[in-house]
Amino acid sequence: MAITLSIAKTHLDAWLKAELECTTNQSYTIGSRTLTRADLAEIRETIRYWQGMVTKLENKAKHGSRNAAYRIMPRDL
């Protein structure tokens, strides 16, 4: 399955919401038990991944699927 730009943006938005929720309610304690919902470092790493994917797909849509690399050889005619 190919990842499209809309899918990548949806995932990025979901992970950004997860980061916001994690910063306010990352862990809580009931009696002697403690529950940690998620690792904030892992969430931020995943956000970087999806941000890179969105950037890559936006550039691909903007410039086509080509890599612009040119070689110029000056010649003395």
Side-chain angles (χ1 to χ4, degrees):
M1 178 177 131
I3 296 175
T4 63
L5 182 58
S6 63
I7 291 172
K9 284 184 177 181
T10 302
H11 280 275
L12 179 61
D13 290 340
W15 281 101
L16 288 171
K17 288 177 188 174
E19 180 187 34
L20 185 61
E21 290 296 320
C22 187
T23 56
T24 56
N25 297 319
Q26 184 176 5
S27 64
Y28 60 91
T29 304
I30 299 175
S32 63
R33 299 181 139 205
T34 301
L35 175 68
T36 302
R37 293 182 182 208
D39 184 17
L40 190 56
E42 184 177 333
I43 291 173
R44 288 185 175 159
E45 181 180 329
T46 307
I47 288 172
R48 279 191 293 275
Y49 169 79
W50 284 111
Q51 182 62 50
M53 187 65 74
V54 167
T55 302
K56 180 176 127 182
L57 292 170
E58 284 176 342
N59 287 337
K60 187 176 180 182
K62 183 177 175 182
H63 300 293
S65 61
R66 62 179 170 87
N67 289 330
Y70 301 99
R71 175 179 281 177
I72 299 173
M73 302 225 14
R75 294 177 32 176
D76 187 17
L77 297 175

